[in-house]
Amino acid sequence: MPNEALANAVREVRRARRMTQAELASAVGISRQTVVSIEGGDYAPSVLLALRLADALEHPIDQLFFIDPTHEEA
């Protein structure tokens, strides 16, 4: 369990929906840079923000955010 990390498919889902980072940011009320940080795995969103992202992307939250058991600490 110590090597687990939160992973996400935000970038892949956003691109599949042909949505820009700016459009997604605007839809959920955050900055584009926050979207960049979430997509890059540098920022784990709050539960509320994760729910808003899932809603904006019309995608199940459990398929948008998930535990990556193979994550290795740098």
Side-chain angles (χ1 to χ4, degrees):
M1 193 163 0
N3 289 334
E4 293 178 340
L6 181 65
N8 73 76
V10 173
R11 178 179 290 129
E12 293 81 2
V13 174
R14 176 184 57 76
R15 286 180 174 168
R17 297 192 57 74
R18 298 182 185 269
M19 183 181 277
T20 67
Q21 291 173 332
E23 289 169 337
L24 179 57
S26 178
V28 298
I30 58 176
S31 70
R32 188 191 65 80
Q33 187 56 42
T34 299
V35 172
V36 170
S37 294
I38 292 169
E39 288 183 348
D42 299 320
Y43 176 71
S46 67
V47 173
L48 179 60
L49 179 51
L51 288 167
R52 290 187 349 223
L53 288 163
D55 185 54
L57 292 168
E58 298 178 351
H59 202 78
I61 193 168
D62 63 331
Q63 293 176 15
L64 198 59
F65 294 95
F66 47 90
I67 295 172
D68 178 3
T70 63
H71 175 76
E72 294 184 20
E73 295 290 324

